Amino acid sequence: MVDDDPAVLEALKELLEARGGARVRAFTSAEEAMMSTSPSSFDVCVLDYRLTGTDGLTLGAMLHQMNPDIRLILISGEITPQLELLALEHGFGRIFVKPFSTDELLAAIAH
């Protein structure tokens, strides 16, 4: 999971670990995620679009190149039709606009 808002990042991490039973690695930037021990081993990535530095869309494209089986989920405060199309072209399976239903996010991650 990558979000540059520490409060959002911590809340989602706690939710996913408590209710989703997931092991979550949380990062505050794309660069931090890419420097992790093995980003290609991620099964699912929840990425905020607007990040400091490299944006979530670009990060998702890089992760998808490293691991074509990775499931990508984009979250953002605002989604335009152009962004939605780009996200789908870059391998994102789901897009959520903040605020979003945590139950829907959990369901998207589980599938």
Side-chain angles (χ1 to χ4, degrees), residues 43-56:
D43 295 320
V44 179
C45 286
V46 179
L47 308 172
D48 186 26
Y49 172 62
R50 295 196 191 278
L51 298 169
T52 304
T54 304
D55 65 56

Side-chain angles (χ1 to χ4, degrees), residues 49-97:
Y49 172 62
R50 295 196 191 278
L51 298 169
T52 304
T54 304
D55 65 56
L57 192 65
T58 303
L59 174 59
M62 290 188 295
L63 292 169
H64 193 255
Q65 282 184 330
M66 294 170 66
N67 177 2
D69 295 326
I70 197 168
R71 290 184 294 131
L72 299 170
I73 298 171
L74 187 69
I75 59 175
S76 183
E78 181 181 350
I79 302 289
T80 64
Q82 295 85 359
L83 178 58
E84 186 172 5
L85 180 59
L86 282 172
L88 294 173
E89 289 174 354
H90 284 83
F92 285 83
R94 291 294 306 268
I95 303 167
F96 290 92
V97 179

Side-chain angles (χ1 to χ4, degrees), residues 1-13 26-29 48 50-52 75 98:
M1 171 171 294
V2 183
D3 197 309
D4 59 356
D5 182 334
V8 171
L9 190 64
E10 186 60 29
L12 287 176
K13 182 179 185 298
F27 306 98
T28 57
S29 71
D48 186 26
R50 295 196 191 278
L51 298 169
T52 304
I75 59 175
K98 295 177 185 177

Side-chain angles (χ1 to χ4, degrees), residues 5-44:
D5 182 334
V8 171
L9 190 64
E10 186 60 29
L12 287 176
K13 182 179 185 298
E14 288 178 8
L15 170 80
L16 294 173
E17 289 176 340
R19 289 191 41 210
R23 189 179 125 237
V24 178
R25 300 203 48 207
F27 306 98
T28 57
S29 71
E31 292 73 22
E32 184 183 355
M34 291 302 289
M35 290 188 313
S36 74
T37 55
S38 183
S40 63
S41 68
F42 301 156
D43 295 320
V44 179

